[in-house]
Amino acid sequence: CKNRLQCLSGVDVVRASLIPRGSSNAQLFLYYLSFAFFGTIRAFFLKKDFDAILVIQSSPVSMALPGMLLKRLTKKPLYIYTFDLWPESLAAGGVKPESWLYKRIGKFSRWVYASADKIFVSSDGFREYFRDMHGIRDNVFYLPFFEADMVLPKAEKPMGKTHLVFAGNIGHLQSVETLVKAAKLLEDTDVTISVAGDGSAKESCEKLAEALAVTNLTFLGKKPFSEMPALYASADAMVLTLAKNDLIAHTLPNKLMGYMAAGKPIIASADKESARVVAEAKCGFTAPAEDERALAQAIRDFIQSKDKAALGKNARKYYEQHFTTDIFLKTLKSLLAEQRP
């Protein structure tokens, strides 16, 4: 690969080999293992002229192994920034917690996380998981990821209509079906709903909308990024829906941060972390995940609200206080500079 070694913006980038992800479970397993294997080999030959080791851990947890080796070789501090909880991700994928595989991966995950001098978590709810699942309390720090700022153009909105927008991936974990069912319950109102995005569950959601004869919800398909500011600007509020799932409940989606950056009120059908942030920011209305009746009622409450402008301002204010690039970098620098407690 000609891009195996690069210098980007003054940073040396060394890439490890990967086995293609493929479509079968066996190929996915090999893909997951390949970075840990080839990355560990690469780690042996890296120059050791660095001060610390930062692992960005999405999935799987084994991607931290090269960093663990470097810590052993150099005695430098190891920091793991986790975006995905293990072994909880296995449960989200259908592996039963009482199974042999789940227990073995759970033991392996505890070993990996225990090797870190500090663990940074992208969602505050992750701290609860590390405490309860792995018994780690003192060295877990909340470091929310940043979201790019969004400047919205002026947009003309249909008179007498309340326009709601859902934007992003339409997968099974997003539970857009809940929004489709809620839309059917709102046909007596002035609400129109636009769903922009694509994903594995888009076709099934479209079929559901057709089967229910929903008339106030439109699937726009995947839109280019250049068109998103105008779409956001046309919305009276943005909608977030998530599946009823323990892993998802602990996660703070970047989509929510993007909604806040746009300064839009938010209507969320979600549990725990996302619901907490919306409530803490005082920027919208919430309903339990996968409860279409509660979501429909939250939308009705928004329609009747006299403080729509204030909700949007509160969303933007919360974004500026927590989710900007500058705040992220300052917090990261501070956490890297501090000694382990």
Side-chain angles (χ1 to χ4, degrees), residues 232-270:
Y232 275 52
S234 72
D236 292 286
M238 307 299 292
V239 180
L240 172 73
T241 57
L242 294 172
K244 198 168 192 63
N245 175 284
D246 284 343
L247 175 61
I248 294 300
H250 282 97
T251 302
L252 185 65
N254 278 19
K255 177 190 303 184
L256 180 57
M257 304 175 195
Y259 289 174
M260 289 182 154
K264 289 293 179 177
I266 297 166
I267 302 169
S269 172

Side-chain angles (χ1 to χ4, degrees), residues 319-332:
Y319 163 79
E320 291 175 347
Q321 292 174 339
H322 296 86
F323 302 136
T324 66
T325 305
D326 284 346
I327 289 174
F328 171 81
L329 292 175
K330 287 178 182 177
T331 306
L332 177 60

